[in-house]
Amino acid sequence: MGLDVNRAREWVNQNSAAVTIGAVVILIFSLAYLWFNASPGSGGGGNRGPIDQYFYDVNTQKLFVVSGDKLPPIPSPSAPNDPTKLAYKAYRFSCGDCSEAQQFTGYYEGFQKEYKDAIERAKEAARSGSAAGPEDMMFMEEGYGKGRLISTDAIGWVEQNSPEGIAINHDLSKKCGEGGRLRPCYPGMP
């Protein structure tokens, strides 16, 4: 009495819509669970709140710190009323300790507007205790590779899962040399 893989595959193929809806529902509940457990005052691990993150103001070419729950791009703090001036999340790393002298920016992150809007709607639904719409969840699931953009200079952007995006991450993984350890750095980290 074992699992008949061929019968299971056939059932999944015949019921693909139900399987997709089930997967989306599980994803919605998983995201809601993660969001509530990371939110202040939620109990569990909720008292820690979001981790601060580095952002890069393209207008001033300087880093600044914001709450980790912000999705890039955000308005530039140096020109908050100018929609053409933006700031992007800066992923900082070190090959040693995370002192300012040792840190470097590995890449910048931004999201396409449609993808960012879908994430925001899903987060708002989780905050209000309701489920995000299946179209938002499916867009996020299908669009993650296309919706998340990365750049080494905050000017030329590529999709995270594109050959160019993979090359950025590959080059970053070799930054510390043979046997070196790449360490992510966050504001206030020693």
Side-chain angles (χ1 to χ4, degrees):
M1 209 199 249
L3 174 66
D4 184 350
V5 176
N6 290 329
R7 281 185 62 199
R9 184 179 297 137
E10 184 179 316
W11 183 88
V12 168
N13 287 339
Q14 291 174 351
N15 297 288
S16 62
V19 171
T20 301
I21 291 170
V24 169
V25 168
I26 289 170
L27 182 61
I28 290 168
F29 283 115
S30 298
L31 287 173
Y33 174 80
L34 292 172
W35 177 256
F36 282 121
N37 281 330
S39 300
S42 65
N47 293 330
R48 66 182 179 272
I51 296 172
D52 287 344
Q53 301 286 331
Y54 290 108
F55 270 68
Y56 177 73
D57 185 333
V58 177
N59 191 42
T60 62
Q61 299 182 348
K62 293 186 179 177
L63 292 173
F64 63 99
V65 176
V66 298
S67 173
D69 62 351
K70 302 281 189 225
L71 289 175
I74 62 173
S76 164
S78 63
N81 298 323
D82 184 344
T84 64
K85 306 292 186 199
L86 299 171
Y88 296 92
K89 187 173 180 179
Y91 282 83
R92 305 279 292 167
F93 297 92
S94 173
C95 294
D97 62 44
C98 282
S99 65
E100 284 295 318
Q102 297 275 331
Q103 288 185 33
F104 60 90
T105 300
Y107 60 90
Y108 302 96
E109 174 188 63
F111 291 97
Q112 291 178 349
K113 181 174 177 11
E114 298 83 18
Y115 185 74
K116 182 178 174 181
D117 291 347
I119 293 173
E120 293 290 355
R121 285 190 300 268
K123 285 172 56 177
E124 185 54 41
R127 270 189 226 108
S128 68
S130 62
E135 62 281 350
D136 288 339
M137 298 309 295
M138 290 193 62
F139 180 82
M140 289 180 353
E141 185 178 313
E142 293 173 0
Y144 187 74
K146 294 181 180 180
R148 182 174 185 246
L149 304 174
I150 61 175
S151 172
T152 56
D153 59 8
I155 297 170
W157 295 90
V158 297
E159 294 176 353
Q160 168 199 340
N161 291 339
S162 69
E164 298 85 1
I166 292 168
I168 289 172
N169 281 301
H170 183 263
D171 292 346
L172 178 61
S173 72
K174 296 182 178 281
K175 186 90 172 174
C176 295
E178 187 80 26
R181 185 176 147 256
L182 188 65
R183 178 180 181 190
C185 298
Y186 299 94
M189 217 175 151

